[in-house]
Amino acid sequence: MRTNRGIIRPASLRQRSAALAAGLSAAAAIATPAIAQTAAQPAPADEQEVQLDTLKIQGRTADVNPYAQEGAPYKARVSGDSRRTRPLAETPQTITVITETQIKESGRTDLRSILALQPGVTVGTGENGNKFGDRYVLRGQELKSDVFVDGLRDPGMTIRESFNVEQVELTKGPSSTFAGRGSSGGAVNAITKQASTEYNFVNADVTGGTDEYARLTTDANIKLSDSFALRGNVLYSREDVPERSPANRKRFGTSLSALMKPAHNFSMTVDYYHLTANDYPDLGTYFSAAGGTPVKNVPVYTQQGDFVRSSVNTLTAKIKWNIADGFRLENAARYGTAHNGFVNTGARLATRSASDPTAPGAVDTVLDTGHQGWQRIEYLVDQLNLFADAKLLGMKHSFLIGGELSHNKVLNGTYTLTRSGAYNCATGTSTTLNAWCVGNGVANIDTVQGKSYVQGAWNVDWQVDTRSVYLMDTVDLTKWLTLFGGARLDNYDYKLVTQSGTTQTPYSYSGNLWNFHGGLSVKPVHDGQFYFSFGTATNINGGESDVGTSCGYGGFCTVSGTNYYGSPVKTTNFEIGTKWEIFKHTLMLTAAAFKLYKDGVFQTATGDSYSTSGTLNTGRYKVEGIELGAVGNITPRLSTQIGMSFLRSRVLASTTAAEVGKKLSNFANVQINAQLKYQLTDKLGIGGNVNHRSSMAAGQPDTAAVYSTTLGTYSYQLPAYTTFDAFATYKVNSHFEARVNVQNVGNTDYYLAAYRSGTFVYIGDKRRVTFTLSGKF
C-alpha cells in the first residue's frame, strides 16, 4: 500500500494486470469493466507502476476513479460498461469520455452543460417548447431517449446531474447492439460512483459565486469490513441564470451505494438515487423575422407560476460472480420512477389589430399562451451478461452472451392554466392570450399574466415492453489483427392510448428489431491501431414517449382510416479510424472519418403523398464527417482533452422535393472544444476551455431545417459563436484545495438552439465567477 492526500491507494489500482491475473483482489469486485478489458491484453510494464510525484502533479481523480489512466486524470483507460471488453484505445469506435476530474475543473455540473461542450453534440428544443428536461442532438440524430446510467437505459426527459458520476461516456454512431432500439446517432452512458472495500475517505466541495450561486456536494466511502462498504453522495445547489434573474435553477440530490462481498469471487451492490430539480425557467428570446437574427436585450418575462420540475428515484441491484477462470456472470436490475412537469411562457412578435386603441398595426413583442405538460415515468429493467474468454482453433476469443427484459411506461398529461392579467395589446380587446407587450414597460412584469394552474387529465399513455438477446465476440486472429462483431434481437410490444375529453384511441403492435456491428482492427505496433467498423440502429414508429401522435417529432405516425404502423427506421454507420497511445500511454490521439445513413424516416403525410407512396417511411438522410481528438498528458504538467468535428448533413429523400439537399436542424458543421490545464507548480495550476460552434438552423427532426425559397436562405439561423472559460486550482495543503472558475470570460452573447418557427431561442449562459473549496480526508 501507499498513500496520497490522505487516501489509501490500493496496489490493485496501481497494478491492475496483476490483480486481474489473480482474480482475487477487491478491486476486481468494484472495477469489473476494467478487469474484462485489461485481461484480454496485459498492460505494458511501463504503466504497471506510476511514480508518486506524477500523481501529485496530475490530480487526484486517479485515486478514486478505477477507469482513469493513472497519472493522466483527463484520460479514461477503460469504459465503465463491462460489455466493452477492450481498453478504449483498442475499441474500434469513436467514444469520448469525460472524467470526473475534467468535469469538476470545468465548473460544469449538469449533464446538459457537460454535453454542450462535446463535438458532435448540440442542445435541442422540444415540440411546443418542451421543457421536461434534457434534450440533445448527436450527429444530427435525436438523443433524448438514449441516455443510460451504468449501461441501463434511463428513460424520460428528466434533468440529470453529475454529483455522483465517475465519468460520462459518449458513444458516437449507431450502437443498437449495446443500447437496444433507438441510438441512431449514438448514446450517452453515465458511470456512477460505487462503494469500495479498499479505502475510507470523505470528500466535500463548497462553492459560492456570482448570481447567488451556491453548491455543496459530499462524497464519503466507509469500509465497515473486508466484505462490506457504504458510499454516499449528497448535493444541494442553487443559482440564478446569469443576467436572466429571476430565472433560476435549484437541485437536491442524494445517492447511496452498498457493497457486499460474501465470497472472494462474488459481490453484490445495491444503489439508491434521488434527485429533485426545481427551475424557474427562461425560454430566452426569438427571431426578429424570417431571415433575421435573434433579438437582443429582451427582458426576462418569466411569469410567476412558471416552473420546470423533475423528481427521480431509482433502485439498482447488481451482482458479479467469477464462476471460473475465464468465465463470469453479471446481472443488473433497476426499478425507477420519475415525475416531470413544466409550465413555461414564451415570447414572439405580433402585429396589433387595426382596432387597437394605442398603436393599430404596430409590431410588438408579446407573450404567448404558454407551454405546459406533466409526465409520470415508471420503468423496470433486468440485464444479464455472461462473459467467456476461450481459445478456439488457436485464436483467443472474448465472448459475451446477454439478455435484457424491460418495461417502460410513460403517462403524459396537461395542466389547466388560468390567467387574470390585462388584455392582450396585440389583438386590442381579446383576452384569449392575455399576453404582455414588452414595449409597454409594464411594472411587475413577472405577474402581468396573473397565471395559475392545476394538474389536468392525462392525454397520452405510452408503453413499450422489450425482450432482448445479443451475442458479441472479439477474436485476436493474430497478435496484430483483431476481428469483432455482434448481433442483437429485440422483440417488442408497443401500446399507445391517446385521450381527448372522454374519447380514448388505442394503438398497439409488436415486432422484431435486428441490429449488428462488426469490423476489423490492425495494430502495426503495440500502442497504435487502424480500424474499420460498421454499426446499425433501428427505431419503431412512435418511439419517443413524450409527443403522442406528433409524427414529425418521433411520435406515433398515423394515416386516417388505416391501421398503419410502418417499417422500423434504420440507421447505418461506416467508420474508419486510428487510435494511438504515446508518452507511456498517458496521451491518446484519435482520428476517424464516417458516413451515416438514416433510412425510412417517418414523415407526416402531406397532400396525397401517402396515397402515392403507400408509406410514411419516406425520409432519408446522410451525415458524414471527420472527428479528431487528443486526451491525456501532453507533458507531465499539461493535461488536455481536445475534440474537433467537421461534419455535413444532407436530406437525400423527402415527401417535399424542395427539402432534398438541405441540411438538418440544430446541426453545426464545425465544432471544436479544448480543455487544458497546466500545473505551474506542485500547488498552483491554471487552465481553461474554448468552445466553438458554427451556425445552425432551426427545424424539426423529420425534415430539413426550415428554408425560405423567397430569401434563398435558412429561415431561422443561429449565428456561430466561440466562448472561453478559465480556471485556477491551488493546493492549500494535503487536505484542502481551492479552485476559481470563470465561465464565458468574454460575456459573449450566444444561442444554443431555436424552435422551428423562430418563436423562441435558448440563450447560452453569460459570465459567471465561482470559488470552490475542496476538502479530502
Side-chain angles (χ1 to χ4, degrees), residues 310-322:
S310 281
S311 178
V312 182
N313 290 278
T314 63
L315 182 65
T316 306
K318 307 171 190 173
I319 62 170
K320 298 179 181 180
W321 180 21
N322 293 321

Side-chain angles (χ1 to χ4, degrees), residues 84 118 166 225 252 419 545 559 571 643 704 725 754:
R84 302 284 183 183
Q118 304 311 312
E166 202 89 79
S225 72
F252 170 75
R419 301 173 185 83
S545 64
V559 176
T571 308
D725 300 343

Side-chain angles (χ1 to χ4, degrees), residues 20 70 160 277-278 303 321 367 411 513 524 577 700 707 747 770:
L20 296 174
E70 296 189 22
R160 297 176 173 93
N278 194 354
Q303 297 294 290
W321 180 21
L367 302 187
L411 197 67
L513 301 175
Q700 64 187 52
Y707 189 86
N747 209 30
T770 58

